[in-house]
Amino acid sequence: MTRVKFELPADDLNRATAFYRDVFGWSAQQLPFGYVLVDTDGDPVDPADSDGGISPRTEFVQGPVLIIEVPSIDEVARKVAQAGGTLLNAKERVGDFGFSQYVKDSEGSVLCLWESLQG
């Protein structure tokens, strides 16, 4: 089974964080590498169980992105390519949290594969 989260791009992380806090009551936690974890219920953010994040706008993250947690990025990336999708970057380590890799599905939608580090 997979878990789906979301990622929202922003040109100004502080401005975007304030927007979602003020408009929807979301809680946020700034990470040291320029990423903001959010929880939509307003409770303090649990980094291991957040609902999603706000990221700097990048080449791949231009609009909202679904983050799909998978047991093995390597295995799922192979399946993406075999099913007609596109791998947009190599698997990257994200601090002490896990690994990510951006892909496009067969219809051109950008997704982020997420593999948590087991601790």
Side-chain angles (χ1 to χ4, degrees):
M1 180 168 3
T2 59
R3 180 171 180 206
V4 178
K5 300 181 181 191
F6 62 86
E7 184 171 59
L8 300 168
D11 296 317
D12 181 319
L13 290 179
N14 292 328
R15 183 178 62 212
T17 299
F19 176 88
Y20 287 100
R21 181 191 62 234
D22 296 346
V23 174
F24 298 109
W26 294 2
S27 56
Q29 180 179 343
Q30 178 85 34
L31 298 178
F33 46 85
Y35 194 89
V36 179
L37 294 176
V38 296
D39 270 334
T40 59
D41 60 10
D43 290 339
V45 174
D46 175 356
D49 193 34
S50 68
D51 295 321
I54 302 171
S55 69
R57 193 175 309 278
T58 68
E59 176 185 356
F60 306 126
V61 184
Q62 291 291 312
V65 172
L66 294 178
I67 301 169
I68 302 175
E69 190 167 349
V70 298
S72 167
I73 284 179
D74 296 331
E75 181 180 319
V76 174
R78 276 191 297 277
K79 290 181 179 181
V80 166
Q82 291 171 349
T86 305
L87 307 180
L88 297 175
N89 68 333
K91 180 170 106 174
E92 297 177 335
R93 185 164 180 149
V94 180
D96 293 331
F97 299 100
F99 298 91
S100 70
Q101 183 172 7
Y102 289 92
V103 302
K104 278 189 181 179
D105 70 9
S106 61
E107 307 311 302
S109 296
V110 175
L111 307 169
C112 178
L113 305 178
W114 176 259
E115 179 182 331
S116 293
L117 284 174
Q118 301 302 317

